[in-house]
Amino acid sequence: MPELPEVEVVRRGLEQFVVGRRIETVEVLHPRAVRRHEGGPDDFAARLTGRTVDGARRRGKYLWLPVGDDALLAHLGMSGQLLIVPRDLPLSPHVRIRFAFADGGADLRFTDQRTFGHLLVAADGAELPPVMAHIAADPLEDAFDLALLTKRMRTRKTGIKRALLDQSLVSGIGNIYADEALWRAKLHWARATDRLRSGQVAGLMAAVVDVFTEALKDGGTSFDSLYVNVNGESGYFDRSLNVYGRAGEPCRRCGALIRRDPFMNRSSYSCPVCQPRPRTGRW
Ligand SMILES: [Zn+2]
């Protein structure tokens, strides 16, 4: 799945190239791409044709374009991409939806090789699409409330990494960034949230913001002028990872060998010295 910095890159691209433009035609080339849109492909197209894109917004890994009171909501899945391409460029075989604009400029094309992603129009979703009401603010949003998160973490009996991945507490943090932030904050992933001091939660969230900000610096600010895309496997931020995927390699802070533990059908990477195991953790 794409992570928050990659989705933010797409949001910035859409803001630059799509916002303020009027949609002239919408062609749904594969019905699976709108399978979650209640009215089906024709209704999807009808609700967007002639509308102007008012903005490009994001919460966590979710992206939406306000159009009037409604929103065009994008779930990119594993392989979905939103591309800004010249209007006369032939359609590639994986284009699922094509948006052409009244100004005659570049198209917006949703391509998805594996069709796991999808788009839908959320009625009255311009401010916040209703399906996202249960998703908490992410640490880069103005709406993010550290005091509230601290309070909720400390009343919950769970491990700190599970809490970081829980979208009802804080959104936008995936497995990779959770491990990277925990390493920076020198906290083991199984630390019990109800035993954390508020300064530790603040330090951890500052580490999350640092990791996101650095990833955006690496890959997030430059894209060529007519080609914007997101791809969960692009990995432009791989170079700057300190623990994730580095099992058996030396910690960049202390030299101890990074260890890998199984965690929720995935893995957790940590430094045994910088991030000692808690005696009473929550695994
Ligand atoms: Zn270390």
Side-chain angles (χ1 to χ4, degrees):
M1 294 290 283
E3 297 236 19
L4 183 151
E6 293 167 294
V7 179
E8 173 62 13
V9 170
V10 180
R11 193 200 66 74
R12 291 177 183 182
L14 292 170
E15 188 162 68
Q16 187 173 339
F17 294 107
V18 175
V19 171
R21 302 174 68 198
R22 192 165 65 82
I23 299 168
E24 186 177 57
T25 56
V26 179
E27 290 171 74
V28 178
L29 302 163
H30 196 305
R32 251 185 82 74
V34 293
R35 64 189 179 280
R36 300 276 177 81
H37 179 79
E38 279 179 22
D42 292 344
D43 183 71
F44 175 85
R47 283 173 185 272
L48 295 169
T49 303
R51 311 285 295 269
T52 297
V53 179
D54 297 323
R57 304 190 61 177
R58 182 188 57 71
R59 167 162 284 191
K61 302 173 198 174
Y62 298 90
L63 191 67
W64 71 98
L65 301 176
V67 283
D69 294 333
D70 304 331
L72 170 59
L73 183 62
H75 288 272
L76 299 170
M78 296 294 284
S79 58
Q81 295 180 303
L82 287 165
L83 304 176
I84 308 291
V85 293
R87 189 173 187 146
D88 54 4
L89 196 79
L91 295 179
S92 78
H94 301 303
V95 176
R96 307 304 180 198
I97 303 174
R98 176 192 189 188
F99 299 89
F101 294 87
D103 57 18
D107 283 355
L108 173 65
R109 297 181 188 176
F110 176 62
T111 80
D112 195 356
Q113 193 168 351
R114 289 187 275 175
T115 61
F116 292 148
H118 63 94
L119 305 187
L120 61 87
V121 178
D124 297 317
E127 269 306 304
L128 186 69
V131 293
M132 293 171 51
H134 65 288
I135 298 173
D138 72 61
L140 298 185
E141 277 184 84
D142 291 340
F144 178 71
D145 183 341
L146 177 63
L148 178 66
L149 174 66
T150 304
K151 196 173 130 199
R152 296 184 67 197
M153 273 202 178
R154 292 171 72 185
T155 53
R156 215 172 270 209
K157 297 205 178 300
T158 188
I160 193 164
K161 184 169 171 185
R162 281 177 187 268
L164 284 180
L165 299 180
D166 182 340
Q167 306 281 305
S168 72
L169 283 175
V170 55
S171 67
I173 306 171
N175 200 41
I176 297 173
Y177 288 104
D179 282 2
E180 291 296 309
L182 287 163
W183 178 81
R184 279 181 196 233
K186 300 186 182 176
L187 293 169
H188 188 273
W189 55 268
R191 292 283 291 261
T193 53
D194 50 337
R195 291 175 182 223
L196 290 173
R197 295 188 306 274
S198 57
Q200 290 176 310
V201 178
L204 176 60
M205 297 319 294
V208 169
V209 170
D210 285 349
V211 171
F212 282 156
T213 306
E214 281 184 21
L216 279 166
K217 224 185 309 173
D218 279 358
T221 51
S222 64
F223 32 80
D224 74 44
S225 61
L226 278 178
Y227 193 84
V228 180
N229 76 75
V230 70
N231 181 336
E233 291 152 326
S234 66
Y236 59 75
F237 50 84
D238 281 357
R239 298 181 300 278
S240 55
L241 296 179
N242 284 304
V243 274
Y244 186 85
R246 297 190 64 239
E249 295 176 44
C251 170
R252 297 203 170 115
R253 198 159 42 206
C254 75
L257 302 185
I258 300 298
R259 75 183 157 207
R260 184 180 72 82
D261 299 308
F263 174 81
M264 294 174 74
N265 296 321
R266 289 181 282 182
S267 297
S268 277
Y269 297 88
S270 59
C271 170
V273 175
C274 298
Q275 300 164 272
R277 267 181 214 278
R279 253 171 292 159
T280 51
R282 297 190 193 279
W283 317 92

